[in-house]
Amino acid sequence: MNRLTSQPSQYFSTASLPVADRLPVWREVFGQKVVYLDIEPAKSVPFHADGTLCALPGAAFSSVSATPIRVSRTQNLIAKDKADTLIVVIADTPLKAIQGGKEKVVDAGDAIFVRGGECSTLATERETRVTSIAVPIDSLVPLMPRVEDLSMTVISRQCDALGLFLGYVDLLRDWRETVSTEFGHMAANHLQDLVAALGRAGEPRIAPLEDRPGVRAARLRGLKAAIEKALCEPNLSLHDIAAGSGISPRYVRKLFQDEQTTFSGFVLGRRLDRARRLLGQPEHAASTIAAIAYACGFGDLSYFNRAFRRCYGMTPSEHREDAWRNRWR
């Protein structure tokens, strides 16, 4: 994926087209005019593809599902696309990549770097979902002086940096026109930071980029996801979350401080929100307030009642009564 214009998400699909027209239309509309790729089926099976493209001001990403295909960046197509980019490609089945005289088979879930300004071929033998993220090479030079050398470098799916990277991309999948331009620039800058961090992951001698805004944003997203999974455990602790994420407790505190909150403040807010929602749900009408409090990770009912009232301006009982009155109006 290689087009770096500023536009919201676009969805493409061959589902409504006659089978005979699917490949020609996909090649012409999506391949030749949007992503500058030559697209061919890798096997003699009816062609189908659908996916989303999102172009930010300084980055682009796509997620495409397709029957077995072979896509190529030819010299003619490169000439039409003035942006020289570094592209991260991840597929959920094995992917064959060719560029610069090198050929590699990338395992499902692993990532590979491809240079957008050089001829390349990617091919799959099975129906596949491929995620691609492209950023301008110029934006990476201050962070990765040898960025040109990353072409055909494979990053294992076990790599912590790849998990952070994909977690952040998940946050951007629903980006729409209603999101501000300021957000678009910020998200693009974050993706550039994360691509650089991913590139450094293959060079253990190079210092990590933990203080870059994109890496911090991805780390915080990962911490919040880990907290959500363990939210209802009464003994949930900052040290456990830090250890599970492979970072120091001090760094965890710093990340939450960047959001003008604390680890404990975030956990309390999420537990209170969960309790508030459960108190208003019919399926929990027979549950006592104490049972709901304990189910949300609170170990002290009095503390729960005080915290709930301080947050919402009413007691849990009053909130439950209010929710039921509104439901039956």
Side-chain angles (χ1 to χ4, degrees), residues 36-162:
Y36 303 118
L37 291 170
D38 189 28
I39 301 169
E40 293 287 351
K43 289 187 174 182
S44 299
V45 296
F47 179 78
H48 172 68
D50 64 79
T52 301
L53 165 72
C54 181
L56 301 166
F61 67 88
S62 70
S63 181
V64 176
S65 292
T67 48
I69 56 171
R70 179 170 47 252
V71 298
S72 302
R73 288 275 287 174
T74 65
Q75 205 61 56
N76 287 339
L77 291 171
I78 291 171
K80 295 179 182 179
D81 190 358
K82 304 305 180 184
D84 190 5
T85 59
L86 186 68
I87 310 170
V88 183
V89 184
I90 308 104
D92 62 7
T93 66
L95 179 75
K96 182 178 180 180
I98 302 172
Q99 185 170 64
K102 298 178 181 178
E103 181 177 317
K104 292 186 179 180
V105 175
V106 185
D107 290 337
D110 290 352
I112 187 167
F113 288 101
V114 178
R115 180 82 180 261
E118 297 179 2
C119 295
S120 61
T121 299
L122 301 173
T124 65
E125 293 296 321
R126 287 183 274 169
E127 185 166 345
T128 309
R129 174 165 290 277
V130 180
T131 299
S132 304
I133 301 90
V135 298
I137 283 183
D138 288 347
S139 71
L140 299 175
V141 171
L143 305 174
M144 287 287 298
R146 298 179 60 190
V147 63
E148 292 87 353
D149 297 337
L150 284 175
S151 175
M152 296 297 284
T153 298
V154 175
I155 304 295
S156 168
R157 59 189 176 281
Q158 306 299 331
C159 175
D160 176 61
L162 182 56

Side-chain angles (χ1 to χ4, degrees), residues 31-310:
Q32 302 287 319
K33 296 181 179 179
V34 177
V35 296
Y36 303 118
L37 291 170
D38 189 28
I39 301 169
E40 293 287 351
K43 289 187 174 182
S44 299
V45 296
F47 179 78
H48 172 68
D50 64 79
T52 301
L53 165 72
C54 181
L56 301 166
F61 67 88
S62 70
S63 181
V64 176
S65 292
T67 48
I69 56 171
R70 179 170 47 252
V71 298
S72 302
R73 288 275 287 174
T74 65
Q75 205 61 56
N76 287 339
L77 291 171
I78 291 171
K80 295 179 182 179
D81 190 358
K82 304 305 180 184
D84 190 5
T85 59
L86 186 68
I87 310 170
V88 183
V89 184
I90 308 104
D92 62 7
T93 66
L95 179 75
K96 182 178 180 180
I98 302 172
Q99 185 170 64
K102 298 178 181 178
E103 181 177 317
K104 292 186 179 180
V105 175
V106 185
D107 290 337
D110 290 352
I112 187 167
F113 288 101
V114 178
R115 180 82 180 261
E118 297 179 2
C119 295
S120 61
T121 299
L122 301 173
T124 65
E125 293 296 321
R126 287 183 274 169
E127 185 166 345
T128 309
R129 174 165 290 277
V130 180
T131 299
S132 304
I133 301 90
V135 298
I137 283 183
D138 288 347
S139 71
L140 299 175
V141 171
L143 305 174
M144 287 287 298
R146 298 179 60 190
V147 63
E148 292 87 353
D149 297 337
L150 284 175
S151 175
M152 296 297 284
T153 298
V154 175
I155 304 295
S156 168
R157 59 189 176 281
Q158 306 299 331
C159 175
D160 176 61
L162 182 56
L164 289 178
F165 180 76
L166 292 175
Y168 190 81
V169 170
D170 284 341
L171 289 178
L172 301 180
R173 291 188 191 278
D174 294 329
W175 188 69
R176 291 294 183 269
E177 198 168 9
T178 53
V179 175
S180 67
T181 301
E182 181 181 1
F183 174 85
H185 282 285
M186 180 190 72
N189 290 337
H190 286 177
L191 283 175
Q192 292 164 13
D193 289 345
L194 289 163
V195 170
L198 197 58
R200 288 188 177 213
E203 293 286 345
R205 294 169 296 176
I206 303 178
L209 297 171
E210 292 293 336
D211 283 332
R212 294 294 302 178
V215 177
R216 292 203 307 269
R219 281 285 185 199
L220 188 59
R221 181 262 173 201
L223 289 171
K224 289 179 176 179
I227 290 170
E228 290 292 337
K229 289 182 179 179
L231 190 63
C232 299
E233 298 178 11
N235 58 350
L236 173 64
S237 73
L238 183 152
H239 287 270
D240 289 341
I241 292 294
S245 301
I247 55 180
S248 70
R250 182 175 178 272
Y251 188 48
V252 173
R253 293 189 188 97
K254 185 176 184 296
L255 291 175
F256 281 102
Q257 286 170 2
D258 288 345
E259 286 206 334
Q260 285 76 53
T261 187
T262 63
F263 173 84
S264 58
F266 177 79
V267 171
L268 175 60
R270 296 304 302 141
R271 284 174 170 171
L272 287 171
D273 180 67
R274 176 175 171 80
R276 179 188 60 81
R277 287 184 284 109
L278 293 182
L279 286 166
Q281 292 175 355
E283 56 267 37
H284 294 283
S287 300
T288 65
I289 289 174
I292 287 176
Y294 297 141
C296 292
F298 290 94
D300 186 317
L301 183 58
S302 297
Y303 172 70
F304 167 69
N305 286 324
R306 291 195 304 272
F308 194 97
R309 184 163 192 166
R310 187 164 56 245

